Amino acid sequence: MTTPALLPLSGRRIPTLSPGAASFPHHRATLRLSEKFILLLILSAFITLCFGAFFFLPDNSKHKLAVPFSSPPASAHSRPPAAAHSSPPCVSEEEESLRDKIRADHERALQEAKEKLRKSKEELKAEIQTEKTKVAEDLKKKDGPKPLPPVSMPKLVGVNNGDPGDPDTKEKRDKIREMMKHAWDSYRQYGWGHNELKPIAKKGHSTNIFGNSQMGATIVDALDTLYIMGLHDEFKDGQEWIEQNLDFSVNAEVSVFEVNIRFIGGLLAAYYLSGQEVFKVKAVQLAEKLLPAFNTPTGIPWAMVNLKSGVGRNWGWASAGSSILAEFGTLHMEFVHLTYQTGNPAYYQKVMHIRKLLAKMDRPNGLYPNYLNPRTGRWGQHHTSVGGLGDSFYEYLLKAWLMSDKTDSEARKTYDDAIEAIERHLIRKSNGGLTFIGEWKNGHLERKMGHLTCFAGGMFALGADGSPDDKAGHYLQLGAEIAHTCHESYDRTVLKLGPEAFKFDSGLEAVAVRQNEKYYILRPEVIETYWYMWRFTHDPKYRQWGWEAVQAIDKYCRVSGGFSGVKDVYSSNPTYDDVQQSFFLAETLKYLYLLFSSDELLPLENWVFNTEAHPLPVLHLGNITLPGSETQR
Ligand code: DMJ
């Protein structure tokens, strides 16, 4: 018998066994037992270490500055701006006790995780089932909060709805549907259950916005697009996966904003379109898990929350430990629907509290900075953007008004004031006559516009009706100018796909300068603006521009395993980033499909699209009091 090897664990040596001992059966049995015991000890120490590392070590990926192509940001809300610095640490008593609390919470989560590990698969399944049943029962409880009257549903959509009529447009629409099928089928085959797909490597993919979860983000994000396109078998397949596998009792630290817009928004839209209760139940289950993120001294939520422990924190790169405007300001639509559907005032109160707090704050030049510290309630760096870190905050002010059947005049006024300041300080015309929206950085205008900012063209058009001083024509015109500029940013590339950011400086117009701004990751914003502009003007150029984008995506981003982003839109031989983003199915393909459909498909009088393109019906709040609204006034 050979001598067991020395184990270099923590520098301690396990004593070697005496060679003679092995020749006696009795000793052998004893030794096996102790060997097993030692192995067991080592194993449990290792597991403890792993968990310790997971909870206590800082997550480097969140502290790194943006690395151009190794992992392009899925959403710029989670992108660290290059110049962002954290303040030096200054530990007050309050902070120390907060840290103690976080440590204690982590300990508890660790303990719970260990206990979970000890349980059998059956026990775990039973536990999940109990939790699910509890939420379903809470929803039905007679004496609990009651949902409001059923939403008067606009005309539902089906495969024949939205038929554009003329054969040429129909052929184009069919092509977009085929692309959706290719994206879905590829994910179904190679990435099923994972959050996203790597279409080149043909395997699952995920980013830090979903923590270490495997929650099928693509399935949830794609559901309503499948439904609208009449891909009913695929929709059913997705529904089945959700019924059997989607579980939020996972030890994963996720982005509150991303989970809200993709999951809660996606589930609610799927519920409204299909009427299947399961989607509502899941949306409410998940929302419950997000609520602890609001437990901050000010009620401004943390950027991230651990779904299991409820412990929240902010991105390491955000200015002075701040929360991000576009993240905590993009919850309103979904949370109002949650209160409407459950009768639980908590969701509505949380988002209205954010609004009230912002209304009381001073704003430099009338602009909203992108960063707000949730502990002190003070602004971080004075950066303002209508692109990444700011964008959907403005979008949700307008949409809160639209979604309330235009009764939420407070939201409309806040939107109008914000847009007025943006126009005054951020919107300019280039020498070549292109209207662009720059970024405000500590009193200085950076003449750079992001792909993300291009959504604003659609927003201006959508907000034109109802604008103060009868400026509807002006805002529709502004929307058209932004659409034109963003189209130029596509047209001035080799691939006819838009870069992540483009400049208007030193003779340059609508082109990217830095290598790490030349990528296209299947983003929707430019197409989103084409679609809104098409709905409001029916100018055929928007369909033409949309079709150019379809052809470019199909030519340069399509691969056998799905669709991939590309790293350089100015190169005739681009390399792939190997990610099929879930928003490609949720947004890009949906907006394209709508662009080539008739206006009867999801009319804008009845539906309001959340920032991930999930349509939610208008709530006729004129004669209804939302639970919780009494205490807000
Ligand atoms: C999407 O997740 C949403 O549109 C979000 O508001 C911003 N970015 C991405 C797509 O680019």
Side-chain angles (χ1 to χ4, degrees):
M1 185 185 164
T2 48
T3 309
L6 296 173
L7 296 176
L9 189 75
S10 315
R12 297 245 311 262
R13 283 167 168 251
I14 307 287
T16 48
L17 300 174
S18 113
S23 54
F24 294 96
H26 166 75
H27 281 159
R28 223 153 72 197
T30 320
L31 284 173
R32 278 218 202 101
L33 261 180
S34 55
E35 270 178 57
K36 277 183 189 162
F37 181 63
I38 289 167
L39 275 172
L40 210 72
L41 259 181
I42 292 166
L43 197 72
S44 59
F46 180 67
I47 290 172
T48 314
L49 246 173
C50 288
F51 274 101
F54 178 77
F55 283 107
F56 293 114
L57 289 181
D59 182 346
N60 280 338
S61 66
K62 287 163 195 147
H63 295 271
K64 267 186 223 151
L65 289 180
V67 182
F69 299 118
S70 53
S71 56
S75 155
H77 305 314
S78 56
R79 178 184 55 178
H85 300 293
S86 300
S87 285
C90 156
V91 184
S92 66
E93 245 176 56
E94 193 197 327
E95 283 202 348
E96 194 45 56
S97 79
L98 204 79
R99 283 185 188 179
D100 285 346
K101 184 185 172 304
I102 292 172
R103 257 180 236 126
D105 287 341
H106 281 167
E107 295 273 13
R108 195 164 21 84
L110 178 60
Q111 200 46 40
E112 281 176 19
K114 276 189 194 163
E115 275 159 23
K116 268 248 145 101
L117 271 179
R118 272 188 225 120
K119 290 184 182 158
S120 70
K121 216 173 160 191
E122 281 61 41
E123 279 176 306
L124 284 174
K125 269 193 179 161
E127 214 173 74
I128 291 165
Q129 196 46 49
T130 322
E131 205 167 314
K132 279 180 189 165
T133 324
K134 191 179 161 295
V135 176
E137 273 166 8
D138 283 353
L139 278 174
K140 282 188 221 144
K141 258 188 203 153
K142 293 214 171 54
D143 47 353
K146 286 193 190 63
L148 282 91
V151 179
S152 60
M153 284 303 290
K155 209 170 83 188
L156 284 177
V157 294
V159 70
N160 294 321
N161 276 353
D163 186 332
D166 80 283
D168 177 54
T169 313
K170 191 164 175 352
E171 200 181 305
K172 288 179 173 140
R173 191 170 88 137
D174 287 346
K175 170 67 193 167
I176 295 155
R177 189 171 182 268
E178 182 278 327
M179 287 165 72
M180 178 69 185
K181 203 163 152 39
H182 178 60
W184 174 264
D185 288 346
S186 305
Y187 167 77
R188 177 77 183 83
Q189 188 173 358
Y190 306 116
W192 196 233
H194 290 265
N195 288 319
E196 291 176 319
L197 166 72
K198 280 181 156 304
I200 309 284
K202 297 187 171 165
K203 61 180 192 185
H205 169 77
S206 198
T207 59
N208 63 352
I209 59 174
F210 305 117
N212 58 349
S213 70
Q214 256 196 44
M215 301 198 298
T218 296
I219 302 177
V220 181
D221 232 4
L223 276 176
D224 53 7
T225 310
L226 294 171
Y227 193 90
I228 292 161
M229 292 184 177
L231 292 166
H232 296 306
D233 290 342
E234 289 78 0
F235 180 88
K236 269 196 214 118
D237 215 9
Q239 177 173 346
E240 228 170 83
W241 185 89
I242 286 172
E243 279 164 353
Q244 290 164 14
N245 301 290
L246 188 55
D247 167 35
F248 307 113
S249 313
V250 286
N251 191 356
E253 194 179 48
V254 300
S255 153
V256 174
F257 159 78
E258 297 287 358
V259 163
N260 176 59
I261 64 168
R262 300 190 199 210
F263 282 82
I264 298 190
L267 289 164
L268 286 174
Y271 164 68
Y272 282 120
L273 290 171
S274 70
Q276 298 292 311
E277 285 284 314
V278 59
F279 299 125
K280 182 168 78 182
V281 171
K282 294 282 178 187
V284 177
Q285 273 176 3
L286 179 54
E288 284 296 307
K289 300 277 182 190
L290 296 188
L291 287 181
F294 292 79
N295 295 336
T296 63
T298 57
I300 295 290
W302 298 116
M304 287 172 282
V305 70
N306 183 303
L307 292 177
K308 176 90 188 108
S309 68
V311 175
R313 71 179 173 107
N314 275 344
W315 304 110
W317 49 261
S319 160
S322 291
S323 300
I324 306 295
L325 182 70
E327 298 198 334
F328 62 77
T330 310
L331 303 165
H332 192 96
M333 293 180 68
E334 297 79 2
F335 275 44
V336 168
H337 271 275
L338 287 165
T339 287
Y340 195 101
Q341 286 300 334
T342 60
N344 178 356
Y347 309 107
Y348 178 72
Q349 284 166 339
K350 301 276 183 226
V351 288
M352 287 308 281
H353 176 78
I354 298 176
R355 187 193 283 180
K356 300 276 172 227
L357 194 134
L358 287 177
K360 280 193 231 138
M361 294 187 65
D362 278 341
R363 294 189 301 280
N365 288 318
L367 296 169
Y368 288 85
N370 292 334
Y371 303 104
L372 180 60
N373 188 313
R375 290 203 181 112
T376 62
R378 283 200 287 269
W379 297 119
Q381 278 165 319
H382 285 187
H383 292 181
T384 296
S385 164
V386 185
L389 311 181
D391 48 11
S392 41
F393 163 70
Y394 307 100
E395 176 185 354
Y396 268 37
L397 291 174
L398 174 65
K399 290 182 175 175
W401 175 70
L402 290 167
M403 205 187 79
S404 67
D405 203 14
K406 304 187 179 173
T407 59
D408 185 350
S409 44
E410 187 180 62
R412 175 77 218 204
K413 168 94 177 72
T414 316
Y415 169 79
D416 290 331
D417 292 348
I419 295 307
E420 205 206 306
I422 283 168
E423 234 192 306
R424 198 165 343 117
H425 298 290
L426 268 56
I427 301 187
R428 296 284 180 272
K429 237 188 190 91
S430 70
N431 294 339
L434 295 177
T435 303
F436 68 93
I437 312 177
E439 310 231 328
W440 190 256
K441 296 206 166 152
N442 298 323
H444 164 82
L445 181 74
E446 201 179 350
R447 295 170 68 89
K448 184 164 94 173
M449 185 165 170
H451 191 288
L452 287 158
T453 320
C454 287
F455 91 98
M459 177 178 76
F460 293 142
L462 185 64
D465 189 20
S467 59
D469 308 326
D470 208 15
K471 279 166 78 183
H474 167 73
Y475 284 113
L476 199 58
Q477 171 64 21
L478 188 55
E481 288 176 22
I482 298 297
H484 173 62
T485 300
C486 293
H487 175 253
E488 286 301 305
S489 80
Y490 273 51
D491 208 42
R492 295 176 187 197
T493 69
V494 172
L495 304 189
K496 304 292 172 203
L497 290 169
E500 180 67 4
F502 39 96
K503 287 239 170 191
F504 298 87
D505 228 350
S506 340
L508 291 170
E509 303 249 327
V511 289
V513 178
R514 289 160 59 173
Q515 191 55 39
N516 66 358
E517 292 171 346
K518 295 183 177 170
Y519 60 87
Y520 173 68
I521 56 167
L522 306 169
R523 285 200 193 277
E525 293 76 16
V526 175
I527 292 159
E528 174 181 351
T529 279
Y530 294 163
W531 173 60
Y532 279 110
M533 290 311 301
W534 164 256
R535 277 277 169 112
F536 291 115
T537 65
H538 279 190
D539 185 332
K541 76 176 174 213
Y542 296 115
R543 277 193 170 163
Q544 185 196 319
W545 291 351
W547 187 241
E548 287 167 13
V550 170
Q551 287 173 302
I553 292 172
D554 206 47
K555 185 163 177 192
Y556 297 111
C557 302
R558 189 183 184 121
V559 291
S560 67
F563 288 88
S564 166
V566 288
K567 294 181 181 178
D568 186 350
V569 290
Y570 300 95
S571 157
S572 53
N573 190 16
T575 41
Y576 299 113
D577 69 2
D578 199 11
V579 182
Q580 179 175 285
Q581 308 276 352
S582 80
F583 53 67
F584 179 62
L585 293 89
E587 299 190 71
T588 314
L589 291 171
K590 185 188 286 139
Y591 285 131
L592 281 169
Y593 189 78
L594 290 171
L595 180 60
F596 291 93
S597 297
S598 81
D599 296 356
E600 282 150 39
L601 185 52
L602 299 171
L604 288 171
E605 299 80 61
N606 304 124
W607 297 91
V608 186
F609 288 71
N610 89 339
T611 191
E612 188 78 1
H614 296 304
L616 300 175
V618 168
L619 297 173
H620 298 280
L621 297 178
N623 11 349
I624 284 173
T625 312
L626 269 180
S629 56
E630 316 82 13
T631 53
Q632 291 288 330
R633 295 179 200 282

